Amino acid sequence: MYKAFNLEHLDQFDDLETIDSNLAKIEYEKYRQKNLEKLSLKNLLQESIIEKDENGKIKLDTSKIQHTFFPLKQVDIFISHSHKDLELVQKFAYYLRHIIGVDCFIDSEIWGYADDLLQEVNNEYALIKEGLYNYTDANVDAANVYMTLSNALHDMINQTDTIFFINTPQSSSLNENLKSRQVESPWIYDELKTISIIKPKIPSYISKLNVRNNVSPKNLSPNWSRPIDDQIKCLEKLDVKDLKKWKESLYTNEGLYDPAPMLAFYQIFENKK
């Protein structure tokens, strides 16, 4: 990771009004389907067994599961967002890919099947009878599946140069009682916490710029809220005006496309200093 940005008011970015929501959704589903076609959960579990004792207790290779089920991608931008903003993020991802010319990562496009994997594991190893699971075994399974996903997220954030946190009322909110911004999603909190502690690495294309490294039944279950003020402070501000400048910087008067969109993006911030 090189730098992370706090992107607010994305819903006010009028360039997204030109993006067809249906096309953006179709592309999103295409990425999901492409990944799903590669997966066979039963085969993956069988292939991941590395040991089995006389009582039938197995040991699974979580590294194999992680690399098969949660594969890493080489992309330009990692998008951290609330699932409640998925339609907005789908359009933004489409815009980045087709208008700006950069590749981006939405975790649910590739990794939206963690619950399917957990269900398969529980059905195989924690099921007592239909609809009834061993509480302890199911909890252990959940902890391991979600920890594997968390590790994959950390690896993906670490290897991606640029992170955009889509900061909306859906992803974070100001708690008047605690006088701080809070998130309820454990995944957003995990991503922001990881971003705040990763040591930044300057990518090779940035060496062309003189850039200082500044990265710094009715459901009654509780909403687990986590403060993120310290994590937000580690993100650089990014607004829709910057996105417009980025797009404008990519085209010459003749309409020719700039072949280095990420370099152009960071040039904008260097010029602001």
Side-chain angles (χ1 to χ4, degrees):
M1 187 192 81
Y2 173 50
K3 285 191 178 183
F5 297 86
N6 178 26
L7 177 53
E8 297 182 302
H9 311 301
L10 182 60
D11 59 333
Q12 299 176 20
F13 185 35
D14 53 19
D15 281 35
L16 295 187
E17 295 176 4
T18 64
I19 305 300
D20 187 310
S21 296
N22 290 327
L23 284 179
K25 183 177 180 179
I26 289 171
E27 180 168 274
Y28 171 85
E29 293 296 340
K30 180 190 72 174
Y31 278 93
R32 283 172 58 87
Q33 187 61 33
K34 183 178 180 181
N35 187 64
L36 184 61
E37 289 172 354
K38 299 177 182 179
L39 294 175
S40 170
L41 298 183
K42 285 186 178 294
N43 289 345
L44 175 59
L45 289 178
Q46 289 299 315
E47 294 169 0
S48 300
I49 296 175
I50 55 178
E51 188 177 305
K52 190 173 186 178
D53 65 20
E54 63 274 9
N55 298 316
K57 184 76 171 180
I58 66 167
K59 182 180 291 187
L60 292 172
D61 182 354
T62 54
S63 178
K64 180 178 179 60
I65 292 174
Q66 177 176 329
H67 292 136
T68 303
F69 202 77
F70 307 122
L72 299 182
K73 290 182 63 183
Q74 292 293 330
V75 298
D76 301 300
I77 299 170
F78 179 106
I79 300 177
S80 176
H81 69 97
S82 166
H83 73 278
K84 296 177 183 178
D85 289 318
L86 182 57
E87 183 177 348
L88 174 66
V89 170
Q90 287 173 350
K91 293 178 69 173
F92 186 47
Y94 192 93
Y95 171 86
L96 290 174
R97 289 168 177 152
H98 296 277
I99 305 300
I100 300 299
V102 296
D103 199 6
C104 55
F105 178 85
I106 306 174
D107 57 2
S108 55
E109 277 184 345
I110 310 298
W111 298 344
Y113 308 102
D115 289 338
D116 297 321
L117 175 60
L118 178 57
Q119 186 70 60
E120 190 70 34
V121 173
N122 281 336
N123 286 344
E124 190 72 22
Y125 303 111
L127 185 65
I128 297 175
K129 63 179 183 180
E130 185 175 356
L132 181 64
Y133 297 88
N134 181 289
Y135 178 81
T136 300
D137 289 347
N139 275 344
V140 170
D141 292 339
N144 278 283
V145 168
Y146 292 139
M147 183 60 72
T148 303
L149 172 55
S150 179
N151 289 338
L153 280 169
H154 299 166
D155 289 344
M156 190 68 194
I157 290 171
N158 186 49
Q159 78 165 26
T160 305
D161 293 335
T162 305
I163 316 295
F164 285 176
F165 169 50
I166 310 303
N167 194 349
T168 72
Q170 307 288 358
S171 57
S172 71
S173 59
L174 181 63
N175 186 295
E176 295 294 341
N177 294 325
L178 299 176
K179 303 300 181 184
S180 66
R181 296 204 70 81
Q182 303 276 316
V183 294
E184 293 178 2
S185 166
W187 297 112
I188 291 178
Y189 181 78
D190 187 49
E191 290 168 2
L192 292 177
K193 185 65 176 180
T194 301
I195 289 166
S196 72
I197 62 179
I198 286 181
K199 184 177 180 180
K201 303 184 294 287
I202 301 177
S204 57
Y205 62 85
I206 292 295
S207 62
K208 300 175 183 178
L209 298 175
N210 182 22
V211 180
R212 295 183 297 276
N213 196 10
N214 292 326
V215 178
S216 6
K218 184 176 180 180
N219 182 7
L220 295 178
S221 61
N223 290 327
W224 297 78
S225 186
R226 302 157 183 84
I228 58 168
D229 292 318
D230 290 341
Q231 285 73 39
I232 290 292
K233 290 177 183 176
C234 298
L235 310 182
E236 296 201 22
K237 289 185 178 181
L238 178 65
D239 59 38
V240 296
K241 292 181 180 178
D242 296 318
L243 295 179
K244 285 183 174 293
K245 289 179 182 177
W246 186 17
K247 177 185 174 183
E248 292 167 358
S249 72
L250 296 178
Y251 295 86
T252 67
N253 293 333
E254 291 77 24
L256 297 177
Y257 182 72
D258 188 320
M262 291 310 299
L263 184 61
F265 174 80
Y266 281 106
Q267 184 68 61
I268 292 172
F269 288 89
E270 177 65 10
N271 292 339
K272 289 171 66 174
K273 296 176 181 178

